[in-house]
Amino acid sequence: MFCDEALDTVEAIAGGELLPDGRVAAHLASCPNCALALQRARQLEASLQRREAPAAPAQFTSRTLAKIRRARWRSDQFLDLGFNVAILLVVASVLGGVWMLLHRTGLTAVSGDAVNVFGSGFVSLARRVAPSLPLYAGALALLVSALGIWWWAERDAAL
């Protein structure tokens, strides 16, 4: 066994978190440098155990949790932005691919009539859907307000 392997475990052994196995115990018994390092680590651990821990400042927990929430929120915002940019790039690539496909196959030459057909179809669809739009808008408003109330109630419960 090499000293660097034993020295990696000295702090854990001194703190009582780890018991030395056969190889490490044999090396600590035979190597004076590693034995001295273990002795110093045990002395340091003992002096730290004798020392009193300072009292936490007022509102330490709430301030720390607020900082953690802000950091998590920033991280989530960064992740959301990256996801949105990736989706935008994918959509732009698909649209660019469709346009290139239409342009290369010559379908753009007949696209004037195709646009007119799709346009008239869209207008007739819009005329059929228009009477039910207020109902869907009301349902959407109800859903958004219910989700907002739910979020508000959960936010207060988490605090």
Side-chain angles (χ1 to χ4, degrees), residues 57-138:
Q59 298 179 348
F60 173 76
T61 304
S62 61
R63 284 188 211 150
T64 304
L65 289 176
K67 286 180 183 179
I68 290 171
R69 280 189 211 112
R70 277 194 302 269
R72 186 178 298 154
W73 178 253
R74 283 187 208 118
S75 172
D76 287 348
Q77 282 181 326
F78 182 72
L79 181 67
D80 289 345
L81 178 66
F83 179 76
N84 290 339
V85 167
I87 292 297
L88 181 68
L89 289 174
V90 167
V91 168
S93 298
V94 168
L95 290 176
V98 168
W99 179 80
M100 286 174 48
L101 179 68
L102 289 175
H103 185 66
R104 290 301 236 172
T105 59
L107 290 177
T108 55
V110 292
S111 68
D113 293 334
V115 168
N116 290 336
V117 169
F118 284 121
S120 64
F122 182 73
V123 168
S124 68
L125 177 68
R127 285 190 181 139
R128 281 191 283 159
V129 171
S132 59
L133 283 180
L135 177 67
Y136 289 128

Side-chain angles (χ1 to χ4, degrees), residues 29-55:
S30 65
C31 179
N33 290 333
C34 292
L36 181 64
L38 178 61
Q39 180 187 0
R40 287 184 180 163
R42 284 184 174 153
Q43 288 172 350
L44 179 63
E45 185 70 28
S47 67
L48 289 174
Q49 290 295 328
R50 287 190 301 269
R51 189 172 178 184
E52 282 188 33

